[in-house]
Amino acid sequence: MFIPHPVALEQMRRGEIAAVVFVTSKPIDAFVKGKWEQGFKFLPVEYGSKFEDYYTPSYLESADYPNLIAKGERIATIAVPTILASYNWRKDSPRYRRVARFVDEFFSRVDKLQSPGFDPNGRTSI
């Protein structure tokens, strides 16, 4: 069942649900900036053969969530690889021109996406 993340976090705080799952980049502001009572924690998701077709191994650490993870501790999790793909349109088609314009604009500004103020993971993933 999908519950918007802010609502799910509040329901978890009230004890109405036991856990939430986030599929997003780290760190998540709600976990970094939020006040978490004793007992709230990240549960490990160990990478194994059941995940190898769709996921990669990753971890969470204190640098990501200092209020929830002790210094020096790492919690196993899985990551979702992301790609940008497009159909190979004919060069004389309007859709080709739109995709080409997007690619040109995106890669001409990639240095801005890798600068401070954007997700720090963009520095290594683009």
Side-chain angles (χ1 to χ4, degrees), residues 5 14-15 20-21 28 62-63 76 81 83-84 89 102 108 118 124:
H5 291 142
R14 292 192 308 255
V20 296
V21 174
I28 301 168
S62 180
I83 64 165
L84 175 63
W89 298 104
F102 170 79
S108 72
F118 289 94
T124 58

Side-chain angles (χ1 to χ4, degrees), residues 52 87-88 95 104 126:
E52 66 187 12
Y87 182 78
N88 189 16
R95 288 185 175 184
D104 291 343
I126 296 177

